Amino acid sequence: MKTSAGSASIRKVAIASLIGTTIEWYDFFLYGTASALIFGRLFFPNYDPLTGTLASFGTYAVGFAARPIGGIVCGHFGDRIGRRSMLVFTLLIMGIATFLIGVLPTYQTIGIWAPILLVLLRVAQGFGVGGEWGGAVLMAVEHAPKGKRGFYGSWPQVGVPAGLLLSTIVFGQISKLPESMLFTWGWRLAFLLSILLVGVGLYIRLAIVEPPAFEEVKQTRTESRVPILDVLREHPRNVVLAMGARLAENGAFYLFTVFILSYATLPRIGFSRFLVLSAISIAAGVELFAMPTFGWLSDRVGRRPVYLFGAVFTGLFAFPFFWLVETSLPSLLILAVVVALVGHAAMYGPQASFFSELFGTRVRYSGASLGYQLASVIAGGLSPLIAIGLLRRTGRSWPIALFIIGMATVTTISVYLATETAHGDIVPGASVGQAENP
């Protein structure tokens, strides 16, 4: 039976993971919001507005390209040295890079060096968040008791809507400034705030300990010498299936929360920046509760049924999402974003436990990070760029809806082919699926 001390310990770890990931995702999402609303004019002023936004989203995508590198490097050391040290390291990288963006001169001041430095700092952000996710979810999942891994694993996932909510609230308030102030110094405040949040995150993360499953690996000296090679040799199918499972969740999410900032504020639709940010904030608030609910549900009925519901729902809602936005009615814009993110929550809530359970403890950090972050490059990094490109070519939303349906189809097939992992035990030498089905 689980002791009260053990229950208190997993709650402490889950809360620490939630707060840490909230801070890191605040940093990461802040860049996406600024890409859609600010950076095109300040760092790419020689283009028309839509092309400037496209160039800005290009720098945004660079962060996703750096995420697998962060996942591989931090996964290597996380599987060999420990989860906690990598969480501290990635938090520092994210916080410092975000703060430096806040003091970065614009194109008007230093010319071409402005977008170059912006790209370099975005690479640092991508590296940091790429290495952070695996460690955060493993701390929660590996500490959690059997039968509650889905619920507790969803807590660091909640850091995504929490970070999104925090960044959109902050930027929403700043966007109320007169345009002359917003584009000179106002936008910088949101980035400078990061340094204070990093201090809070470091204090919390330094107080947690390594999971028992990883401590057993350390004590028995069975760490992998080269985790990335071992995971590709031992679990290649699961890496590919994790990537496919991630595609719709990640790609559609960034269309619903980043691309929509550019699309819904087009003159023919006519929403204000503040209203779109408010819709995203409300939807993120709903996800704060939806993700743990879906994580809890995955402990009862399995990871695959819950995840499949989210994938199928996302595909079916692709056309209705744009129809609702294009009515130009504020209430229907809010409804569209909220409903879309409920579908996302059904996938993202159980995802931490699902992906973690696909890999053995000695390579779990590397395996979960690799599947998760490689898909991020294809899905989250490119989806706003693809959507902007389709919009420039056709002027219509239906190709973008078809793009979402295509991603949802790949995710549905991948999850269907994956092993159900909800009801097995975490053991040092095998994935949960292997433990259940030797």
Side-chain angles (χ1 to χ4, degrees):
M1 180 178 295
K2 190 74 176 174
T3 65
S4 59
S7 298
S9 174
I10 179 55
R11 284 196 294 269
K12 178 181 177 182
V13 170
I15 291 170
S17 296
L18 168 60
I19 293 174
T21 53
T22 297
I23 294 168
E24 296 217 28
W25 284 108
Y26 166 83
D27 291 349
F28 201 74
F29 285 134
L30 198 59
Y31 192 101
T33 304
S35 294
L37 302 178
I38 302 293
F39 288 163
R41 184 188 301 187
L42 296 182
F43 291 91
F44 305 95
N46 297 328
Y47 299 103
D48 64 83
L50 193 57
T51 304
T53 301
L54 182 62
S56 181
F57 277 150
T59 68
Y60 173 74
V62 167
F64 286 84
R67 284 170 66 168
I69 301 172
I72 291 170
V73 172
C74 295
H76 174 85
F77 291 104
D79 281 327
R80 287 191 56 79
I81 299 173
R83 288 40 169 144
R84 190 183 72 158
S85 58
M86 291 300 100
L87 290 179
V88 171
F89 173 63
T90 56
L91 185 62
L92 283 171
I93 289 177
M94 284 290 292
I96 293 171
T98 303
F99 178 82
L100 291 177
I101 291 173
V103 298
L104 188 63
T106 63
Y107 190 95
Q108 186 177 7
T109 304
I110 59 173
I112 192 63
W113 282 106
I116 290 173
L117 292 173
L118 185 66
V119 167
L120 291 176
L121 292 173
R122 181 59 175 174
V123 167
Q125 278 193 325
F127 181 95
V129 81
E132 189 271 347
W133 180 83
V137 301
L138 293 193
M139 289 295 286
V141 171
E142 291 182 340
H143 272 286
K146 181 181 178 181
K148 294 185 178 181
R149 293 193 300 264
F151 175 67
Y152 284 114
S154 70
W155 284 42
Q157 303 291 79
V158 172
V160 171
L164 176 63
L165 179 61
L166 182 59
S167 67
T168 50
I169 287 175
V170 169
F171 222 98
Q173 295 303 310
I174 291 172
S175 69
K176 293 180 181 179
L177 290 169
E179 196 161 283
S180 60
M181 294 181 181
L182 175 64
F183 281 87
T184 51
W185 56 266
W187 68 273
R188 298 181 183 276
L189 297 178
F191 288 87
L192 298 178
L193 175 63
S194 175
I195 203 69
L196 299 178
L197 298 177
V198 167
V200 175
L202 285 175
Y203 175 79
I204 293 170
R205 285 192 164 175
L206 287 171
I208 57 178
V209 298
E210 295 288 357
F214 180 74
E215 287 288 1
E216 183 177 344
V217 169
K218 293 286 288 184
Q219 290 171 5
T220 57
R221 299 182 182 276
T222 54
E223 304 99 321
S224 170
R225 290 180 60 85
V226 188
I228 188 64
L229 295 182
D230 285 345
V231 81
L232 291 174
R233 183 173 61 251
E234 297 168 11
H235 307 284
R237 181 175 183 270
N238 286 351
V239 171
V240 174
L241 292 179
M243 289 177 62
R246 175 92 163 121
L247 201 64
E249 172 271 307
N250 193 235
F253 177 77
Y254 283 100
L255 294 180
F256 296 147
T257 60
V258 175
F259 169 73
I260 194 64
L261 285 165
S262 296
Y263 184 71
T265 54
L266 289 173
R268 67 182 176 85
I269 298 177
F271 290 117
S272 67
R273 288 190 297 258
F274 180 74
L275 180 61
V276 181
L277 287 168
S278 297
I280 295 171
S281 297
I282 293 169
V286 171
E287 277 207 297
L288 295 178
F289 302 95
M291 281 186 185
T293 300
F294 284 120
W296 171 85
L297 186 62
S298 77
D299 286 325
R300 270 67 187 167
V301 304
R303 314 288 185 233
R304 292 167 68 246
V306 177
Y307 210 117
L308 284 170
F309 164 76
V312 173
F313 181 87
T314 297
L316 292 176
F317 192 64
F319 276 100
F321 174 80
F322 287 102
W323 294 339
L324 290 170
V325 171
E326 289 162 3
T327 63
S328 297
L329 296 174
S331 60
L332 294 185
L333 168 70
I334 294 170
L335 177 65
V337 180
V338 169
V339 172
L341 290 198
V342 169
H344 172 259
M347 293 182 280
Y348 205 61
Q351 187 183 86
S353 52
F354 189 29
F355 284 15
S356 299
E357 291 160 349
L358 290 174
F359 304 96
T361 304
R362 58 194 294 272
V363 296
R364 183 169 289 128
Y365 201 139
S366 296
S369 295
L370 190 63
Y372 183 94
Q373 302 301 352
L374 283 175
S376 297
V377 180
I378 302 168
L382 295 181
S383 60
L385 278 172
I386 292 171
I388 286 284
L390 291 172
L391 184 62
R392 289 186 70 204
R393 180 176 292 271
T394 66
R396 306 290 295 278
S397 63
W398 64 263
I400 305 169
L402 289 177
F403 174 50
I404 294 172
I405 291 171
M407 291 189 292
T409 301
V410 173
T411 292
T412 300
I413 294 171
S414 299
V415 176
Y416 179 79
L417 293 175
T419 302
E420 178 58 65
T421 62
H423 308 300
D425 292 313
I426 286 182
V427 295
S431 68
V432 174
Q434 288 174 322
E436 285 186 289
N437 303 293

